[in-house]
Amino acid sequence: MSERRTVLTTCTRDCPDACGINVYVTNDRLVGLTGAKDHEITKHFLCRKALNYIQRFYSKDRILEPLIKVDGNWREISWETALSAIAGRLVQTIDQYGSLSVLHYQGSGSLGALKMLNKRFFNLLGGVTEASGSLCGGAGIAGQTMDFGYRTCHDPLDLLNSRLIVVWGRNPSETNMHLTHILKEARSGGARVILIDPVATDTARFCDMHISPKPGMDGYLALGMAKIIIESDLADKSFIDNHTANFAEYRSLVDSFDMETLSDKCGVSIENITGLATLYGGKKPAAIVCGWGLQRYAWGAETFRLIDALGAITGNIGIPGGGINHGHDELDYFDESVKGKEFARHSRKIPKPLLGKAIAELDDPPIKMAFINGGNPLNQSPNITSVAEALKNIDFVVVLEQFMTDTAESADVVLPVTTFLEEHDVIGSYWHNLVGLVNPAIEPVGNTRSDFEIYRDLAHFLGFGDEMAGTPESWIRKIIKPLKKSGITYESLLESHKRVPGAPMVAFEDRLFKTESGKFNFITGFSTSEIQSTDYPLVLLSTHSRSWIHSQLIPDENKSLPVAKVNPATAATYGIEDTETARVASAHGELTAIIKLDEGIRESVVRIDQGRWAKFGQSLNQLTPALMSNEGQNACYYQTAVKLEKI
Ligand SMILES: Nc1nc2c(c(=O)[nH]1)N[C@H]1C(S)=C(S)[C@@H](COP(=O)(O)OP(=O)(O)OC[C@H]3O[C@@H](n4cnc5c(=O)[nH]c(N)nc54)[C@H](O)[C@@H]3O)O[C@H]1N2
Ligand SMILES: Nc1nc2c(c(=O)[nH]1)N[C@H]1C(S)=C(S)[C@@H](COP(=O)(O)OP(=O)(O)OC[C@H]3O[C@@H](n4cnc5c(=O)[nH]c(N)nc54)[C@H](O)[C@@H]3O)O[C@H]1N2
Ligand SMILES: [Mo]
């Protein structure tokens, strides 16, 4: 008799949707995944990267034993040997150089809240050097924090109250699938949906209008819209007078440009800017949904602020169906004190976007040992060449991984970790307001352990085991304690995902902003720099793929070449035809790609999905510059100038 089970869990991957998942297990083997039916966002549907997960899970390339590098070759060792060797090395390093000589790098491989315990370990160690800043949304968050006091968004289902929705620099068809369902429903209820993206992505297919600006230049588009809105008397004077600060200075900024200049800068005709502004200013309530693509430039925060300003001048802030929606913190509903900040006697941070340079420059103390979990900085950081150089100079690198990634390959010890289908955890979303438990569907395969178990067990070797002791469940119960007042308990989460009661449907409904003035704070200055140069006249958008997340491909998926989508007119200037192979080169590096002609891509733009592996010569971050945004310590991946060369 075969034994069948269904386990309810939640996806922990770094994605807004944080889906409820039913996992089907037959005879202790995963056989299928479906979206949880009664999860009000997932609604039974899973995306391609989730559906592909079983293949990843059972890949022959998964690491199942602790590994140590001996003379350049990997050798399997026991957990006991691995953990005692690491503990011995830690004690020696800290004795000699202090705890700040240890670097902790936590990526976004899993957004489970239990991953906060990894940080607790390093705080208990005395406080280490932490890779901070952002590869993701730091610029947008910084911009919105300057305007509103903190970043938050409307509940996604509030979009059903909007008459107009502008999707700006976000590609939900590939990266946030359940938003597309809401957009389609809003549209069938009469809302108009507009996409602003230099690429006519699959999202454009169900939009009423597509505006294609020059990459990085949306701030000028927003200024142009503001000019039309103000000059055509579409502004909400009452909102401006009562709830905003710095309007006069912002108005001067708007007035300092004429429409021709703004149109030229953003590459959108005055007619289209006017049409867009008239729609946005005229169809209240109107929501803007901003993505991450929009802010991967040095001035990403300022771009967000100029878009926030559109919400403020039209009074689309604090009303149902309005808002400038990016996201909120996925830890919002949890107890972050488990990180144990109080244990750290020292603290030092280095920004992820400048990781290579920062490691190379640190002394007093220099970095001697590094722990990397849930991240692949040798693939996902901008300008990985500089990161690889820096990592080589660290005496002892420990990587907690599922696969022999570019980063794991560079380590001294690799510890095999479980996937979310083998772990306990709890997770919120950075977009919607449901929380869910992560329940193991099957026993860990091979000799894998969760991050929590690894750090907890390592703590025993180091004499602070008591502070990390306990089961995952006992820590999850602590983490979700703040939810108790809303009636959400561990037991209730075992039954189903729960919407957090009281989670706002509308952001800033009380118009109380946590800024210094208590009001919405307008931006007062803006500048950008040229991305392209004569030698490198194209912009590379290294976007997110529908089929995988970040670098989480299995090695075999790297066998084909990446596909570079370009406008036929752009390809023609290089004499390149559809399906031909070409070199894509920046000032920092190059790779080979297959050219796919696409009328929907703006001229002078190259779009390639990022995530392929550097060890196969295919990481796009061989080409990206190590730049950091003016605000928010964000990586500026899309500020990459390239050229094509026919091969
Ligand atoms: N399948 C899948 N899902 C994912 C991810 C994944 O890798 N794969 N990653 C997850 C993570 S961590 C994140 S942060 C999100 C990212 O989610 P998105 O923000 O949707 O992803 P991006 O691909 O960065 O960019 C979105 C769009 O911005 C456009 N864009 C680039 N530059 C500009 C610009 O200057 N102006 C405008 N208007 N548009 C621009 C790009 O052409 C692209 O279509 O997705 C999450 N979901
Ligand atoms: N060129 C370019 N680069 C980009 C971007 C871009 O748009 N263009 N986008 C950026 C964005 S938005 C982000 S968020 C970052 C993401 O950067 P990273 O967080 O470095 O992304 P991943 O490649 O997903 O690496 C996560 C690794 O963690 C492993 N993993 C998964 N779960 C666990 C776990 O529970 N424990 C441990 N120890 N490991 C686990 C996975 O196998 C994977 O190798 O990348 C950025 N890089
Ligand atoms: Mo991200």
Side-chain angles (χ1 to χ4, degrees):
M1 271 279 282
S2 65
E3 187 256 342
R4 288 159 192 263
R5 284 179 284 129
T6 305
V7 179
L8 180 66
T9 192
T10 318
C11 184
T12 64
R13 301 174 100 190
D14 182 357
C15 172
D17 301 38
C19 284
I21 299 185
N22 284 315
V23 189
Y24 303 98
V25 184
T26 303
N27 293 335
D28 284 329
R29 204 174 160 84
L30 301 171
V31 291
L33 305 176
T34 57
K37 255 193 188 144
D38 59 357
H39 188 289
E40 64 178 344
I41 298 290
T42 308
K43 286 191 175 158
H44 204 40
F45 293 100
L46 286 184
C47 70
R48 196 182 293 173
K49 68 179 183 295
L51 293 170
N52 287 346
Y53 202 76
I54 294 188
Q55 192 192 352
R56 176 175 174 82
F57 187 98
Y58 285 121
S59 162
K60 64 179 184 343
D61 295 303
R62 248 190 93 178
I63 303 172
L64 300 177
E65 301 292 333
L67 300 171
I68 190 161
K69 203 183 265 164
V70 182
D71 299 329
N73 297 312
W74 291 111
R75 186 181 293 167
E76 285 181 9
I77 48 172
S78 69
W79 275 106
E80 179 75 16
T81 312
L83 294 182
S84 75
I86 293 168
R89 192 79 187 215
L90 261 175
V91 170
Q92 194 190 338
T93 306
I94 293 175
D95 275 355
Q96 201 172 346
Y97 300 99
S99 62
L100 291 181
S101 68
V102 177
L103 171 70
H104 180 217
Y105 185 106
Q106 178 145 311
S108 56
S110 161
L111 294 190
L114 196 60
K115 304 293 172 190
M116 288 192 280
L117 271 287
N118 304 353
K119 299 199 173 174
R120 181 180 183 85
F121 172 88
F122 291 99
N123 284 331
L124 285 161
L125 205 54
V128 300
T129 300
E130 190 188 349
S132 67
S134 173
L135 301 183
C136 184
I141 294 170
Q144 294 215 306
T145 304
M146 292 163 95
D147 292 344
F148 297 101
Y150 65 104
R151 178 193 71 146
T152 192
C153 61
H154 289 227
D155 189 276
L157 297 178
D158 180 58
L159 286 172
L160 299 174
N161 295 318
S162 308
R163 291 179 65 213
L164 178 80
I165 303 169
V166 182
V167 179
W168 204 325
R170 178 155 166 161
N171 182 13
S173 280
E174 304 200 49
T175 61
N176 181 192
M177 176 185 136
H178 299 87
L179 170 57
T180 64
H181 298 168
I182 299 167
L183 293 173
K184 285 176 187 168
E185 192 180 333
R187 199 162 171 253
S188 57
R192 293 185 72 170
V193 182
I194 299 175
L195 175 70
I196 306 181
D197 192 314
V199 180
T201 57
D202 285 354
T203 304
R205 291 190 189 181
F206 60 85
C207 291
D208 299 284
M209 187 194 281
H210 170 222
I211 301 280
S212 180
K214 285 184 191 164
M217 300 301 150
D218 305 74
Y220 300 106
L221 174 58
L223 281 166
M225 287 171 69
K227 211 174 172 65
I228 305 283
I229 289 168
I230 295 169
E231 287 170 9
S232 354
D233 233 10
L234 288 169
D236 181 336
K237 291 188 191 65
S238 153
F239 186 90
I240 296 172
D241 289 346
N242 294 314
H243 303 297
T244 72
N246 299 337
F247 179 69
E249 293 90 334
Y250 167 71
R251 173 91 210 241
S252 307
L253 176 67
V254 174
D255 289 344
S256 68
F257 295 98
D258 57 44
M259 277 310 284
E260 286 70 25
T261 310
L262 291 170
S263 160
D264 185 54
K265 286 266 193 194
C266 70
V268 179
S269 66
I270 295 179
E271 193 190 344
N272 279 346
I273 300 177
T274 309
L276 185 59
T278 315
L279 271 176
Y280 182 70
K283 272 196 180 287
K284 213 167 170 178
I288 297 181
V289 183
C290 294
W292 288 261
L294 183 60
Q295 45 98 68
R296 303 190 198 280
Y297 302 88
W299 50 89
E302 294 89 313
T303 303
F304 255 62
R305 297 195 66 193
L306 289 165
I307 295 172
D308 291 344
L310 292 173
I313 58 169
T314 55
N316 271 304
I317 304 295
I319 58 168
I324 312 295
N325 301 288
H326 182 221
H328 64 87
D329 195 324
E330 68 273 9
L331 294 175
D332 271 350
Y333 304 118
F334 299 136
D335 182 356
E336 293 189 52
S337 72
V338 297
K339 287 181 191 161
K341 274 191 183 152
E342 68 278 13
F343 295 115
R345 294 182 303 282
H346 310 280
S347 134
R348 184 167 70 172
K349 293 182 186 221
I350 53 174
K352 286 181 177 176
L354 306 179
L355 189 67
K357 186 162 171 274
I359 294 175
E361 284 174 359
L362 278 185
D363 58 4
D364 200 22
I367 299 297
K368 290 288 173 187
M369 207 168 163
F371 286 79
I372 302 171
N373 61 256
N376 189 3
L378 273 189
N379 181 295
Q380 290 293 292
S381 311
N383 196 248
I384 46 174
T385 318
S386 60
V387 182
E389 276 306 311
L391 240 63
K392 252 187 230 155
N393 292 325
I394 300 178
D395 293 348
F396 200 78
V397 178
V398 181
V399 173
L400 285 64
E401 248 305 341
Q402 298 160 347
F403 284 84
M404 195 48 80
T405 60
D406 293 320
T407 304
E409 200 84 77
S410 78
D412 296 284
V413 171
V414 177
L415 301 176
V417 297
T418 42
T419 66
F420 75 97
L421 295 179
E422 300 149 294
E423 293 181 9
H424 286 280
D425 209 327
V426 64
I427 184 163
S429 151
Y430 52 86
W431 173 56
H432 60 68
N433 289 300
L434 274 74
V435 294
L437 285 182
V438 180
N439 298 307
I442 60 172
E443 289 292 309
V445 296
N447 254 323
T448 55
R449 293 184 184 178
S450 69
D451 290 329
F452 166 70
E453 290 164 331
I454 296 171
Y455 285 120
R456 181 192 61 188
D457 297 349
L458 195 53
H460 279 288
F461 283 84
L462 291 158
F464 52 85
D466 286 354
E467 293 293 350
M468 292 285 291
T471 58
E473 185 189 316
S474 66
W475 285 102
I476 293 167
R477 284 179 186 276
K478 283 197 178 86
I479 289 169
I480 63 170
K481 239 187 192 144
L483 289 170
K484 209 165 188 177
K485 61 178 183 307
S486 318
I488 298 181
T489 60
Y490 191 87
E491 282 66 30
S492 71
L493 286 173
L494 279 172
E495 282 159 27
S496 64
H497 296 85
K498 294 284 181 295
R499 165 179 282 280
V500 177
M505 290 302 286
V506 175
F508 307 110
E509 201 160 16
D510 53 9
R511 308 317 197 257
L512 292 178
F513 303 103
K514 289 195 175 144
T515 52
E516 230 167 75
S517 60
K519 299 191 168 189
F520 173 90
N521 195 27
F522 277 108
I523 183 173
T524 55
F526 178 57
S527 68
T528 56
S529 48
E530 286 295 324
I531 301 174
Q532 294 111 303
S533 63
T534 318
D535 289 341
Y536 299 100
L538 313 175
V539 179
L540 173 65
L541 299 180
S542 46
T543 48
H544 290 228
S545 161
R546 179 198 302 278
S547 305
W548 63 80
I549 183 161
H550 309 138
S551 69
Q552 296 184 42
L553 293 84
I554 50 181
D556 279 354
E557 286 176 293
N558 288 282
K559 278 190 175 152
S560 56
L561 285 177
V563 172
K565 292 189 180 167
V566 290
N567 188 286
T570 306
T573 59
Y574 294 92
I576 303 174
E577 298 196 1
D578 197 32
T579 71
E580 284 189 336
T581 306
R583 201 169 289 120
V584 185
S586 77
H588 308 284
E590 59 180 47
L591 53 70
T592 306
I594 295 172
I595 299 294
K596 172 128 181 34
L597 301 187
D598 187 335
E599 294 276 359
I601 298 198
R602 203 187 154 86
E603 282 186 38
S604 305
V605 174
V606 181
R607 179 195 158 155
I608 309 180
D609 283 339
Q610 73 99 10
R612 288 162 181 275
W613 291 16
K615 62 171 144 177
F616 304 110
Q618 294 192 5
S619 171
L620 288 176
N621 288 317
Q622 295 158 209
L623 280 64
T624 51
L627 288 175
M628 192 160 80
S629 58
N630 304 334
E631 303 288 344
Q633 300 201 318
N634 208 42
C636 310
Y637 298 103
Y638 298 173
Q639 205 176 324
T640 301
V642 294
K643 63 181 175 187
L644 296 178
E645 283 167 358
K646 188 173 168 152
I647 299 179

